[in-house]
Amino acid sequence: MPRAPEVHISSLVIQHSPDRTDALREAAAAVAGLEWCAAENGKAVVTLVTASAAEVVDRIALLNAVPGVHSTTMVYHHYEPADAIDAA
């Protein structure tokens, strides 16, 4: 039986070189499901909405590959069946 679609909501902190904030923001705009929230002093906060945990890991890997990024840390993760979110 196929697995029901899920929605994964994550919050990430990206530590990066402060002089690379604009380039990081531009690269982040190309990441599906990512919303830029804030950046200051070499730290950026973003939210991410995906359909699976594997996609979260893939997006983190994409962000870590951006020049000037030191690390990306997940600070929050929530998931539930997509139909539960649609019903709310």
Side-chain angles (χ1 to χ4, degrees):
M1 181 156 114
R3 191 170 181 176
E6 297 176 337
V7 174
H8 291 253
I9 302 166
S10 304
S11 177
L12 312 173
V13 173
I14 307 167
Q15 294 200 21
H16 62 283
S17 299
D19 63 332
R20 299 290 300 162
T21 301
D22 291 339
L24 172 59
R25 188 171 186 156
E26 185 177 317
V31 176
L34 188 141
E35 182 178 334
W36 186 271
C37 298
E40 187 176 326
N41 299 325
K43 293 182 185 170
V45 176
V46 301
T47 57
L48 184 62
V49 178
T50 62
S52 70
E55 288 180 20
V56 175
V57 174
D58 290 345
R59 302 303 194 285
I60 289 172
L62 283 173
L63 293 166
N64 282 334
V66 174
V69 169
H70 306 304
S71 67
T72 302
T73 304
M74 182 183 342
V75 293
Y76 175 81
H77 179 245
H78 171 80
Y79 75 95
E80 61 186 82
D83 58 356
I85 290 177
D86 291 339

